Amino acid sequence: MLRLESKVAMISGATGGIGGATARRFLQEGASLMLVGRSASKLEELVNSLDGGERVRTYVAEANDEAAVEASFKATVAAFGGLDILFANAGT
């Protein structure tokens, strides 16, 4: 049984070591992911390494930009219909 099947998770600071490892684990456990980071190219590298298909989306945002953080939540809900898990991993 997959513990996160049908769950939607957003991971901030996704392109760092902890964020990437968490993304891999959450994906293995069945979650759909919104990966948030400040580098589009690093997010793309991470997505390519995950092989999660339509279950993985990205959003570029700085953790200290309140409007961008709010927009990342809205993008998650628009992409997946909701949000079940927030892993607030971005360090500022």
Side-chain angles (χ1 to χ4, degrees), residues 48-63:
N48 291 337
S49 74
L50 293 175
D51 192 32
E54 292 297 314
R55 291 177 40 217
V56 180
R57 305 285 175 86
T58 63
Y59 196 88
V60 177
E62 290 278 350

Side-chain angles (χ1 to χ4, degrees), residues 14-82:
T15 59
I18 293 170
T22 302
R24 282 180 185 78
R25 183 56 187 235
F26 282 10
L27 195 59
Q28 289 171 348
E29 292 291 341
S32 294
L33 305 177
M34 177 62 80
L35 305 175
V36 182
R38 58 185 177 192
S39 169
S41 62
K42 287 183 180 181
L43 285 167
E44 183 178 346
E45 287 177 32
L46 178 58
V47 168
N48 291 337
S49 74
L50 293 175
D51 192 32
E54 292 297 314
R55 291 177 40 217
V56 180
R57 305 285 175 86
T58 63
Y59 196 88
V60 177
E62 290 278 350
N64 61 359
D65 180 344
E66 187 175 337
V69 171
E70 182 177 348
S72 70
F73 278 92
K74 289 179 180 178
T76 302
V77 172
F80 298 112

